[in-house]
Amino acid sequence: MSFRNGLASLLRPEDSVLVLIDHQPYQLANLNSHDPQTVVNNATALAKAARAFDVPTILTSVIADRGGLIFPQITDVFPGQEVIDRTFINTWEDRQVVDAVKATGRKQLIIAGLWTEICVAMPAIQALGEGWDVTVITDASGAVSVEAHQVAIQRMIAAGANMMTWLALAAEWQRDWARMETAAALTEVIKYHAAGSGIAYLWEQQLLNTPAPSTAS
């Protein structure tokens, strides 16, 4: 296995394409590797980060008539965008999804979905075999058990995939806080989805805008 290192190995928004897979009620109902609320929050944050950095995002579900529609927290980020509804369990066997990804002209493929051990692992492993640079966002994904999630991650790492969390990805896309064209938008995502960091930022802004008490007698 070749090591993933060096500046060129870091993710860049202009080279990235995001595929969000099966964030649906049926899958969420048997999500046991994470707190379901946390996964919904993280997947939403990931979607908002992609929008902030103008990263093309493909939304896909599997048999939505039975499994339910993708969470509105995600689809609301991309109003009016078509959701590709599949029958294939393996997203990467669906020609419409693959063609949509290829049409972006980007090679840094980022994937998150439910469940990690099935609907994330299969496309990640296939895409790796076809030469794609694949990153899986582990905290915007989830499995039917902690073991299933961990084993899937081990399997994908063995196949050459890169593992990240949504906030690490967003920071890697930003890279420099002097990039003001995206800094404000990313800060908005952090405020509402990064828990302690977001609240601490709001507190800092409050303190900075609060006049110091007068010392006059």
Side-chain angles (χ1 to χ4, degrees):
M1 183 188 302
S2 59
F3 289 103
R4 184 187 178 90
N5 53 30
L7 184 61
S9 72
L10 299 181
L11 298 179
R12 301 168 294 279
E14 65 272 17
D15 293 326
S16 298
V17 53
L18 172 65
V19 181
L20 295 177
I21 302 172
D22 304 350
H23 289 95
Q24 297 171 254
Y26 176 82
Q27 284 84 338
L28 193 71
N30 194 27
L31 179 72
N32 298 295
S33 61
H34 298 72
D35 169 48
Q37 183 171 322
T38 299
V39 172
V40 173
N41 174 76
N42 294 345
T44 304
L46 175 59
K48 289 182 177 180
R51 182 184 62 185
F53 288 96
D54 200 23
V55 171
T57 301
I58 288 87
L59 306 178
T60 182
S61 58
V62 60
I63 314 181
D65 284 347
R66 284 180 277 171
L69 301 176
I70 291 178
F71 313 145
Q73 291 92 330
I74 293 174
T75 53
D76 286 352
V77 178
F78 308 102
Q81 180 170 320
E82 177 191 5
V83 175
I84 301 173
D85 194 41
R86 318 176 321 276
T87 59
F88 280 107
I89 297 174
N90 176 10
T91 300
W92 214 246
E93 290 185 71
D94 187 290
R95 200 69 252 161
Q96 192 176 355
V97 176
V98 176
D99 287 348
V101 173
K102 287 182 176 179
T104 68
R106 299 167 180 224
K107 291 294 286 183
Q108 291 184 331
L109 174 61
I110 300 162
I111 297 175
L114 305 177
W115 295 310
T116 321
E117 72 274 38
I118 299 172
C119 297
V120 174
M122 282 195 282
I125 290 169
Q126 182 179 347
L128 284 161
E130 295 174 2
W132 292 81
D133 179 356
V134 178
T135 293
V136 172
I137 307 304
T138 59
D139 62 348
S141 305
V144 300
S145 68
V146 173
E147 179 181 7
H149 186 72
Q150 292 176 341
V151 169
I153 289 172
Q154 292 170 2
R155 184 183 181 205
M156 290 185 283
I157 290 173
N162 178 42
M163 300 292 144
M164 296 183 73
T165 57
W166 81 262
L167 188 54
L169 171 67
E172 203 155 297
W173 277 342
Q174 179 66 32
R175 202 76 62 82
D176 183 350
W177 286 115
R179 295 174 179 174
M180 299 308 297
E181 64 275 14
T182 52
L186 175 57
T187 299
E188 285 300 301
V189 180
I190 291 172
K191 276 168 54 177
Y192 291 101
H193 296 282
S197 297
I199 299 305
Y201 171 80
L202 291 171
W203 185 31
E204 176 188 66
Q205 296 305 302
Q206 175 193 336
L207 295 176
L208 289 172
N209 287 282
T210 301
S214 173
T215 58
S217 57

